[in-house]
Amino acid sequence: MTKIAVAGPGYVGLSIATLLSKQNYVTAVDVIPQKVEMVNNGKSPIKDDLIEKYLSGTDLNGCPINLNLKATTDAASAYKDADFIVIATPTNYDPIKNFFDTSAVEAGIDLVLKVNKKATMVIKSTIPVGYTESVRAKFNTKNIIFSPEFLRESKALYDNLYPSRIIVSCDKSTEKQAHTFAALLRQGALKKNIN
């Protein structure tokens, strides 16, 4: 099984963590101890009926499900052995400055590179056009790819189980990792024949 860490278990991060933890080892990372405790106790810190069901141990149809999901505030330990690190931290947009605050994404990248340079980082946060290329240059690494999300608030897990499409960016150096990550998303989905 693949080891995955997810930074930022909000709607995007927790839905991805839940989806991927059906067939992989997943660790969700948050700075708020209460959110970590809730996830570890099978409770959702966000309002999403399906996430709540899955974390309590039942799937969409009410059948028992066993997730390989834990949460921690110790990002370094979660990232250390991960194959993929999904960065789903907030990037609040300021319309007056026409600016995305990507500082949390960059702090995540910086920490990953200190503890696990081999991991592939998958940005799932909302970012400006050209951002992936710019942070690859800034941090001198090719191990950063982007996968946009197409989720509705409070229906995030449902939208991951039945995705309209799966998109993962890549270039020649990250083509294998992008295909592997897309396959993990497809494996967790209930919908078949996804584009």
Side-chain angles (χ1 to χ4, degrees), residues 1-7 13 16-29 68-70 77-79 81-87 119-120 122 180-181 184-185 187:
M1 285 205 279
T2 304
K3 292 182 179 177
I4 302 164
V6 178
I16 288 291
T18 304
L19 176 86
L20 294 174
S21 67
K22 293 190 312 178
Q23 288 100 3
N24 305 281
Y25 296 112
V26 179
T27 304
V29 178
N68 297 302
L69 175 63
K70 64 180 182 177
S77 69
Y79 300 163
D81 296 321
D83 302 301
F84 287 93
I85 298 162
V86 178
I87 299 174
T120 299
V122 182
T180 300
F181 188 73
L184 292 172
L185 295 175
Q187 178 187 44

Side-chain angles (χ1 to χ4, degrees), residues 60-79:
L60 187 67
N61 301 312
C63 298
I65 188 170
N66 185 25
L67 301 179
N68 297 302
L69 175 63
K70 64 180 182 177
T72 184
T73 56
D74 187 350
S77 69
Y79 300 163

Side-chain angles (χ1 to χ4, degrees), residues 41 47 50 61 66 72 96 124 134 148 154 165 170 172 182:
N41 288 320
K47 180 68 180 139
L50 274 184
N61 301 312
N66 185 25
T72 184
I96 295 168
K124 275 273 191 194
S134 72
S154 79
R165 59 205 165 282
C170 67
K172 291 281 188 208

Side-chain angles (χ1 to χ4, degrees), residues 88-164:
T89 54
T91 53
N92 298 321
Y93 177 71
D94 184 336
I96 295 168
K97 294 181 181 177
N98 192 26
F99 173 78
F100 282 95
D101 180 1
T102 56
S103 58
V105 174
E106 292 182 29
I109 293 168
D110 188 51
L111 180 56
V112 170
L113 291 173
K114 287 177 181 167
V115 298
N116 185 355
K117 290 183 180 181
K118 294 180 184 176
T120 299
M121 291 167 271
V122 182
I123 298 174
K124 275 273 191 194
S125 300
T126 303
I127 54 174
V129 174
Y131 181 76
T132 305
E133 186 177 350
S134 72
V135 289
R136 288 171 116 202
K138 178 178 180 175
F139 289 97
N140 193 28
T141 182
K142 295 279 189 184
N143 286 349
I144 302 172
I145 58 179
F146 175 65
S147 179
E149 48 85 12
F150 305 97
L151 307 176
R152 296 169 292 167
E153 196 169 294
S154 79
K155 299 285 184 198
L157 182 54
Y158 182 88
D159 291 342
N160 273 310
L161 291 168
Y162 296 94
S164 59

